[in-house]
């Protein structure tokens, strides 16, 4: 008992001594906390770079691997963390929707961007995702009345700005306006996009600023855009070595105006005269070189990565999409475009290493959607596929409503594989809208090339856990989507019989690359299945900030150190 009492007294004296020592040096605990905090903060990058390659299929990484150099895609794949099984988890897989979903961490159900263009059932007209007449064009006479106001949630760039009390810079750049505006979010310092035609300049909107910065004016006046259009686009390597693509001159590609065949070489100085002048730059591989030039000018002009705060630059390479639409997935042109963009990625990484420092930035690379192989080409290989006849479908729908309800005006609009019903006419005819919807759902499934059909009310009342209907549900927005949604058969598209497109929930449109690289990222790879909406929450976890306010994705913990 005496030993226990003595031990207790000794413990009390020891605690008091520690307390007295702490009082005599009150900064000890605080200094330790600050040291820990500084150690944590030292891991934060000075700059985050998001790279979205428009219409990049995952298999381009593998298919053209031996054509790539060591410093571009290969460096990212081998030195970063390469996720091999990333898919879009919604329909439709379009540019605006893809960019928004990447940066908001959610699907159209929450963020509200249901397509590039869609029918507004309140305004009774088709609208474009970023048009906004509340603002004026900055840098040209037209093309800049834009804003992200139709995007209902924040992006990861918004959250980074908010977390730093609106310090740090967030900027989006792309040849396409929607690909610059939507990723940058509502609080961006700037978004810049390329105005083609006879303008040939990067412009912006008064949503962001009253005039272009001097560095943008300098870039626009440098003649860089014009210089690219004075070149001839020929293959980077000997065309005979392009064994990963079909013959150059074929019936599945769309030639440029002024050229009889869709084949190399392309004399751009001649072709620009009949192909929209500077619009031609968007549609050839050099458009990606031009975007890289502007990305580097943005980093220097805005001193990104140089302050005590973290900056974010969202870059979208759009020319890959234009080339893919015109020439298709299997073309020599698409192969050459990816060989060349590999050089652009290498150039950009080398620039970042020099200007920012290899330990001071974090980068991810993905795509906003993939693309289907040209159905007319697939049919020559006896693979099912075809083309959706929109005019015949509209006629068929009207015949259904006339047969069952004695009216051809019940369906107000058909677009984006959706039917919008005229609720006023349905009310005037004393019809039950649920019955009308169900009749149409049951009947349109019998139309050639329709694979699935479902009503909006069903999507609201039922939870689909897998398959095409789950993706359709994730892309459904109760306020903006149509009354009835349908899905064409696989490899069946609403498009010309030359070139290719995207938009479906099938794997050829949903499977895209995703690679993280740089500060705080592990080296490795994974074959686990991840949805695209996991990118934003992963970045939020890495940056130790709040996730975008509509996030439905989860953190990919395996990529983080």
């Amino acid at each position: 008992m005496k030993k226990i009492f003595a031990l207790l007294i000794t413990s009390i004296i020891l605690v008091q001594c520690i307390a007295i020592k702490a009082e005599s040096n009150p900064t000890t605990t605080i200094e330790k906390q600050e040291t820990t905090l500084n150690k944590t903060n030292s891991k934060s990058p000075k700059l985050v770079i998001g790279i979205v390659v428009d219409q990049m299929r995952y298999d381009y990484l593998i298919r053209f691997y031996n054509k790539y150099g060591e410093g571009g895609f290969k460096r990212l794949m081998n030195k970063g963390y390469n996720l091999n099984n990333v898919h879009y988890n919604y329909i439709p897989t379009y540019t605006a929707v893809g960019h928004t979903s990447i940066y908001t961490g959610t699907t159209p159900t929450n963020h509200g961007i249901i397509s590039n263009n869609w029918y507004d059932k309140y305004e009774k007209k088709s609208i474009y995702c970023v048009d906004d007449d509340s603002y004026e064009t900055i840098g040209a006479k037209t093309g800049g009345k834009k804003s992200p106001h139709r995007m209902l949630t924040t992006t990861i760039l918004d959250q980074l700005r908010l977390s730093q009390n609106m310090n740090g810079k967030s900027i989006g750049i792309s040849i396409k306006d929607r690909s610059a505006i939507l990723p940058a979010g509502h609080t961006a310092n700037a978004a810049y996009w390329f105005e083609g035609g006879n303008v040939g300049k990067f412009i912006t909107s008064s949503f962001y600023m009253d005039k272009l910065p001097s560095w943008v004016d300098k870039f626009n006046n440098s003649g860089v855009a014009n210089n690219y259009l004075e070149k001839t686009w020929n293959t980077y390597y000997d065309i005979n070595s392009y064994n990963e693509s079909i013959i150059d001159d074929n019936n599945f590609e769309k030639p440029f105006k002024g050229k009889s065949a869709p084949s190399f070489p392309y004399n751009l100085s001649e072709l620009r005269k009949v192909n929209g002048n500077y619009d031609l730059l968007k549609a050839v591989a050099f458009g990606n070189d031009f975007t890289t030039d502007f990305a580097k000018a943005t980093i220097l002009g805005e001193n990104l990565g140089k302050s005590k705060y973290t900056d974010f630059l969202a870059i979208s390479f759009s020319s890959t999409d234009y080339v893919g639409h015109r020439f298709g997935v299997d073309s020599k042109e698409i192969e050459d475009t990816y060989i060349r963009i590999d050089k652009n990625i290498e150039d950009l990484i080398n620039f970042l290493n020099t200007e920012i420092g290899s330990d001071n930035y974090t980068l991810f690379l993905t795509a906003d959607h993939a693309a289907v192989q040209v159905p007319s080409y697939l049919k020559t290989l006896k693979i099912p596929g075809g083309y959706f006849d929109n005019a015949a479908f509209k006629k068929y729908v009207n015949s259904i409503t006339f047969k069952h309800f004695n009216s051809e005006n019940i369906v107000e609009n058909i677009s984006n594989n959706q039917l919008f019903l005229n609720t006023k006419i349905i009310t005037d005819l004393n019809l039950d809208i649920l019955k009308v919807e169900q009749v149409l759902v049951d009947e349109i499934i019998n139309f050639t090339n329709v694979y699935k059909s479902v009503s909006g009310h069903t999507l609201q009342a039922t939870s689909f856990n897998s398959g095409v209907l789950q993706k359709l549900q994730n892309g459904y927005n109760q306020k903006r989507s149509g009354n009835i949604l349908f899905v064409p058969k696989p490899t069946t598209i609403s498009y010309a019989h030359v070139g290719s497109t995207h938009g479906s929930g099938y794997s050829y449109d949903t499977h895209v690359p995703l690679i993280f690289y740089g500060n705080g990222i592990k080296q490795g790879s994974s074959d686990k299945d991840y949805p695209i909406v996991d990118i934003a929450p992963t970045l939020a976890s890495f940056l130790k900030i709040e996730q975008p306010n509509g996030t439905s994705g989860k953190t990919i913990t395996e990529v983080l150190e």
Side-chain angles (χ1 to χ4, degrees):
M1 188 70 178
K2 289 181 180 180
K3 289 183 179 179
I4 294 173
F5 182 74
L7 182 61
L8 180 62
I9 293 297
T10 302
S11 299
I12 293 171
I13 292 171
L14 182 61
V15 169
Q16 288 178 335
C17 289
I18 293 171
I20 292 170
K21 184 176 181 180
E23 287 178 3
S24 66
N25 189 8
T27 61
T28 301
T29 302
I30 296 174
E31 286 174 349
K32 287 181 179 179
Q33 291 174 342
E34 287 181 343
T35 300
T36 302
L37 183 62
N38 289 335
K39 185 177 181 181
T40 301
N41 288 343
S42 68
K43 295 181 180 179
S44 298
K46 293 292 185 180
L47 178 63
V48 180
I49 302 282
I51 298 176
V52 177
V53 182
D54 203 323
Q55 203 189 115
M56 183 176 182
R57 291 165 55 111
Y58 168 80
D59 65 354
Y60 290 161
L61 286 178
I62 309 304
R63 187 168 138 206
F64 305 136
Y65 187 85
N66 292 331
K67 292 290 196 302
Y68 296 144
E70 297 301 318
F73 289 125
K74 282 185 179 179
R75 172 155 54 178
L76 296 182
M77 295 169 71
N78 298 327
K79 300 296 183 181
Y81 204 94
N82 185 20
L83 298 156
N84 299 311
N85 200 18
V86 172
H87 285 261
Y88 277 88
N89 60 334
Y90 61 79
I91 299 170
T93 45
Y94 293 138
T95 296
V97 196
H99 282 80
T100 305
S101 299
I102 290 166
Y103 285 94
T104 63
T106 193
T107 67
T109 294
N110 296 317
H111 63 58
I113 302 298
I114 62 172
S115 187
N116 296 332
N117 303 272
W118 67 85
Y119 182 71
D120 189 309
K121 52 192 173 186
Y122 305 102
E123 297 185 21
K124 306 296 182 184
K125 66 178 184 179
S126 179
I127 59 174
Y128 179 58
C129 56
V130 294
D131 275 351
D132 192 344
D133 288 336
S134 301
Y135 298 97
E136 299 300 324
T137 301
I138 302 298
K141 292 182 179 179
T142 60
K145 291 186 174 184
K146 315 284 181 184
S147 84
H149 76 288
R150 289 192 172 96
M151 181 170 61
L152 304 176
T153 61
T154 59
T155 68
I156 188 66
L157 284 79
D158 286 319
Q159 296 301 148
L160 182 59
R161 291 268 285 157
L162 288 168
S163 73
Q164 299 179 120
N165 196 26
M166 303 309 290
N167 290 299
K169 293 181 179 180
S170 291
I171 298 174
I173 66 168
S174 178
I175 279 178
K176 293 181 180 179
D177 50 19
R178 57 188 180 270
S179 304
I181 293 168
L182 296 169
H186 303 278
T187 63
N189 298 89
Y192 301 104
W193 54 95
F194 184 65
E195 182 69 4
N198 293 322
V199 178
K201 295 180 179 180
F202 275 97
I203 66 170
T204 190
S205 163
S206 60
F207 176 83
Y208 304 101
M209 62 191 72
D210 296 326
K211 64 177 183 178
L212 289 176
S214 58
W215 68 264
V216 178
D217 283 329
K218 181 180 179 181
F219 183 89
N220 283 335
N221 295 328
S222 67
V224 175
N226 186 70
N227 292 342
Y228 282 118
L229 288 177
E230 293 303 311
K231 293 175 177 286
T232 295
W233 179 21
N234 211 336
T235 53
Y236 191 88
Y237 299 118
D238 183 346
I239 195 169
N240 294 316
S241 71
Y242 284 27
N243 300 315
E244 297 78 11
S245 45
I246 61 177
I247 60 171
D248 192 22
D249 186 2
N250 60 69
N251 297 323
F252 314 114
E253 302 172 12
K254 183 180 179 181
F256 284 114
K257 292 179 182 178
K259 189 170 170 61
S260 60
S263 57
F264 286 103
Y266 294 94
N267 185 335
L268 303 185
S269 63
E270 289 297 319
L271 291 175
R272 69 186 295 185
K273 299 173 184 177
V274 290
N275 287 276
N277 198 4
Y278 285 103
D279 282 339
L280 182 62
L281 181 55
K282 303 176 184 180
V284 297
F286 296 137
N288 296 321
D289 297 74
F290 183 56
T291 302
T292 305
D293 293 339
F294 190 69
K296 293 191 291 185
T298 303
I299 292 169
L300 293 176
E302 294 291 340
N303 291 312
L304 299 183
K306 299 297 184 181
S307 76
K308 64 180 180 179
Y309 301 102
T310 300
D311 300 320
F312 202 127
L313 178 62
I315 306 169
S316 180
F317 288 98
S318 301
S319 294
T320 43
D321 185 66
Y322 288 103
V323 174
H325 276 293
R326 179 172 290 276
F327 299 103
V329 167
D330 296 291
S331 63
K332 301 290 187 195
E333 286 81 0
I334 206 71
E335 179 168 358
D336 192 69
T337 296
Y338 277 89
I339 288 170
R340 289 176 178 275
I341 199 173
D342 177 62
K343 308 300 181 186
N344 298 142
I345 300 299
E346 179 177 4
D347 182 21
L348 183 60
I349 293 174
N350 290 339
F351 176 84
L352 290 169
N353 288 343
T354 300
E355 295 295 329
I356 308 300
S358 59
D359 295 330
N360 292 325
Y361 69 90
T362 303
L363 175 153
F364 74 86
L365 181 144
T366 189
D368 57 342
H369 53 74
V372 64
Q373 290 171 287
V374 180
S376 58
Y377 166 63
L378 293 179
K379 289 178 75 173
T380 67
L381 304 176
K382 300 180 180 180
I383 296 174
Y387 296 88
F388 196 88
D389 190 333
N390 290 300
F393 180 70
K394 182 178 180 180
K395 185 177 180 180
Y396 179 73
V397 168
N398 286 339
S399 72
I400 295 170
T401 60
F402 185 79
K403 173 185 175 182
H404 290 274
F405 309 112
N406 199 33
S407 173
E408 292 185 342
N409 299 314
I410 284 176
V411 177
E412 187 172 273
N413 177 269
I414 303 175
S415 56
N416 291 318
N417 296 338
Q418 299 181 39
L419 278 64
F420 294 80
L421 303 186
N422 189 317
T423 54
K424 184 179 184 305
I425 288 179
I426 290 173
T427 300
D428 290 344
L429 293 174
N430 294 316
L431 298 172
D432 181 347
I433 191 168
L434 295 179
K435 180 180 178 181
V436 174
E437 287 181 351
Q438 196 56 52
V439 166
L440 284 164
V441 166
D442 292 341
E443 290 279 10
I444 66 173
I445 194 67
N446 298 315
F447 183 78
T448 302
N449 287 331
V450 170
Y451 179 59
K452 297 280 187 181
S453 60
V454 66
S455 71
H457 281 102
T458 297
L459 294 176
Q460 293 171 39
T462 307
S463 180
F464 295 98
N465 297 317
S466 62
V468 171
L469 288 180
Q470 182 191 42
K471 293 175 182 176
L472 205 61
Q473 189 166 52
N474 287 339
Y476 174 77
N477 184 281
Q478 183 178 356
K479 196 171 184 70
R480 293 179 174 176
S481 297
N483 300 83
I484 296 160
L485 297 82
F486 65 92
V487 178
K489 291 179 181 177
T491 61
T492 301
I493 60 176
S494 298
Y495 206 67
H497 288 219
V498 290
S500 191
T501 192
H502 48 85
S504 80
Y506 299 114
S507 61
Y508 51 75
D509 281 339
T510 66
H511 192 193
V512 295
L514 174 58
I515 309 172
F516 289 89
Y517 175 87
N519 177 317
I521 304 300
K522 286 181 183 177
Q523 182 176 333
S525 65
S526 173
D527 291 323
K528 292 180 182 177
D529 186 15
Y530 290 106
I532 201 73
V533 294
D534 286 351
I535 295 175
T538 300
L539 292 172
S541 295
F542 167 62
L543 295 169
K544 295 179 173 57
I545 62 175
E546 187 60 43
Q547 298 178 356
N549 60 18
T551 296
S552 55
K554 298 179 180 179
T555 300
I556 308 173
T557 55
E558 63 180 297
V559 310
L560 304 178
E561 286 184 340

